[in-house]
Amino acid sequence: MYKKIIVPIELGALHSGERAFRKASTLLDTGGEIILLNVVEDVPTYVAIDLPAELLQNAIDDAQEKLGMLIRTSGIPAMIEIGHGRPAHSILATAETHDADLIIVASHIPDFSNYFIGATADRVVRHAKCSVLVDRQR
């Protein structure tokens, strides 16, 4: 069905990401590729001054480790990519860079500020140039 699928995974909601990852494996063409993406958000300069210098590298290392463990425990082959900046922007940029034909994004049950789907999922759905599957998490 799909040749290249991007699966953004938030480390704080790894179980939701695992569910989306497993779903991606069922939608993948033979010879296709899944890219697990974690986005490390930039820290504002006025905050970064008070944080340890290695904080960003630690976040990247943690993401690599947890996504690698997810691949090993699931047995599903995938590539790992770490993005930087705003999550929606990084997800969209990764999809374009890899010429993805599907993004599977997990969305939690929203609050009043983002009633229909989560804020990141909303931005991805609105601006993606490929198909987007929103995996609603309960």
Side-chain angles (χ1 to χ4, degrees):
M1 289 213 264
Y2 297 97
K3 294 182 186 318
K4 185 134 337 179
I5 303 174
I6 307 294
V7 182
I9 296 184
E10 181 183 349
L11 296 184
L14 204 52
H15 65 283
S16 299
E18 180 179 1
R19 179 176 148 167
F21 180 35
R22 290 185 184 281
K23 189 166 289 191
S25 72
T26 67
L27 299 172
L28 192 64
D29 279 342
T30 302
E33 182 179 36
I34 298 172
I35 298 171
L36 297 182
L37 171 68
N38 178 258
V39 180
V40 176
E41 293 189 59
D42 293 329
V43 178
T45 308
Y46 65 88
V47 174
I49 232 163
D50 293 328
L51 297 174
E54 65 276 356
L55 183 69
L56 180 62
Q57 188 58 50
N58 289 347
I60 292 168
D61 293 345
D62 188 43
Q64 289 277 2
E65 180 184 331
K66 287 182 178 170
L67 295 181
M69 181 65 75
L70 180 58
I71 291 169
R72 287 189 296 279
T73 59
S74 69
I76 302 167
M79 300 294 295
I80 295 173
E81 187 158 323
I82 308 299
H84 299 279
R86 296 184 321 263
H89 177 75
S90 189
I91 293 165
L92 294 168
T94 301
E96 282 194 49
T97 298
H98 290 281
D99 197 26
D101 49 357
L102 179 66
I103 300 168
I104 300 180
V105 61
S107 179
H108 62 284
I109 295 178
D111 57 20
F112 288 111
S113 67
N114 49 11
Y115 187 71
F116 294 106
I117 58 179
T120 299
D122 178 57
R123 287 183 189 98
V124 170
V125 168
R126 289 178 191 271
H127 300 286
K129 294 180 180 170
C130 65
S131 296
V132 178
L133 177 102
V134 178
D135 186 29
R136 173 66 75 199
Q137 306 291 310
R138 298 190 189 270

